[in-house]
Amino acid sequence: MALTREQLAQRAARELRDGFYVNLGIGIPTLVANYIPEGTDVMLQSENGMLGLGPFPFEGEEDPDLINAGKQTVTAIPGTSYFSSSDSFGMIRGGHIDLAILGAMEVSEQGDLANWMIPGKMVKGMGGAMDLVAGVKRVVVVMEHTNKAGDSKVLLECRLPLTGKACVDLIITDLCVFEVTPDGLLLTELAPGVTEGEILEKTEANYQTSDSLRTISLS
């Protein structure tokens, strides 16, 4: 069975490491804040000028002055700090963010990323994605494996305008996990109940299968 949005966030949260400074992109990645492993101390950073985001607030407890870059209400944790957007991008461009977890429209087998616009459709702006993929130490993409038409989003080459080239380190989809290696994509994990045949059918990109292929664990 394909992973739900919440399960995708849970799997992505396993990439967090103690002491990391982490930026979460808009969409599914924002849910990662609710699944930080117990005992793991990470600081979540937002491009709009907040370091120390907590989980999403419960209904009725929202503070409209506390929002993330996607304009969603968030909570603060002890030690949270606030600063200008320019300082926030200084952190990103200066290489001080350890990990970015981003959504995507397309990813290529070389790790190219397209996640900011579809030509002919309204574009709100590229946000911080281009700075993130250029300045962050590790980039993890979280997305559905296919689009609404059922076409693969893991491609030989991206067809949409690129956010960055060869910038993605790990791809987590609702069906599987690919590592992006110097030799191309490596299939390392399958969602429970998903077969290798289904991945082959729904993936345009070339990939190799790990000798230690395993089932995605969410615990």
Side-chain angles (χ1 to χ4, degrees), residues 89-129:
F89 277 92
M91 294 177 185
I92 294 167
R93 294 168 182 168
H96 302 293
I97 306 301
D98 298 288
L99 173 68
I101 301 177
L102 305 174
M105 299 169 187
E106 296 175 347
V107 183
S108 79
E109 63 182 36
Q110 295 84 25
D112 302 336
L113 172 66
N115 78 341
W116 75 280
M117 74 167 294
I118 299 176
K121 294 193 175 183
M122 185 182 72
V123 181
K124 295 182 179 179
M126 65 189 71

Side-chain angles (χ1 to χ4, degrees), residues 179-196:
E179 291 181 10
V180 184
T181 77
D183 298 319
L185 299 182
L186 181 66
L187 176 66
T188 58
E189 300 177 43
L190 295 173
V194 173
T195 65
E196 291 184 60

Side-chain angles (χ1 to χ4, degrees), residues 9-156:
Q10 281 182 272
R11 173 59 187 84
R14 290 181 52 210
E15 298 303 310
L16 302 176
R17 299 291 181 269
D18 199 47
F20 266 17
Y21 290 87
V22 181
N23 185 287
L24 302 179
I26 295 171
I28 295 172
T30 61
L31 300 175
V32 172
N34 294 332
Y35 297 104
I36 296 174
E38 187 175 354
T40 300
D41 181 20
V42 300
M43 291 291 283
L44 302 182
Q45 188 255 16
S46 185
E47 299 103 286
N48 59 321
M50 186 174 176
L51 182 66
L53 285 79
F56 284 114
F58 291 109
E59 186 174 355
E61 297 181 1
E62 299 93 342
D63 181 344
D65 290 327
L66 292 181
I67 60 171
N68 61 21
K71 299 181 176 61
Q72 298 168 302
T73 53
V74 295
T75 60
I77 62 173
T80 295
S81 58
Y82 309 93
F83 35 84
S84 71
S85 179
S86 60
D87 287 332
S88 181
F89 277 92
M91 294 177 185
I92 294 167
R93 294 168 182 168
H96 302 293
I97 306 301
D98 298 288
L99 173 68
I101 301 177
L102 305 174
M105 299 169 187
E106 296 175 347
V107 183
S108 79
E109 63 182 36
Q110 295 84 25
D112 302 336
L113 172 66
N115 78 341
W116 75 280
M117 74 167 294
I118 299 176
K121 294 193 175 183
M122 185 182 72
V123 181
K124 295 182 179 179
M126 65 189 71
M130 291 186 178
D131 287 276
L132 286 166
V133 299
V136 171
K137 297 172 185 174
R138 178 172 168 82
V139 174
V140 172
V141 161
V142 180
M143 66 178 189
E144 294 177 338
H145 202 94
T146 60
N147 61 25
K148 293 180 180 179
D151 299 321
S152 177
K153 294 170 64 173
V154 185
L155 306 174
L156 291 167

Side-chain angles (χ1 to χ4, degrees), residues 153-165:
K153 294 170 64 173
V154 185
L155 306 174
L156 291 167
E157 294 185 2
C158 293
R159 301 178 179 89
L160 295 173
L162 291 183
T163 305
K165 287 184 67 65

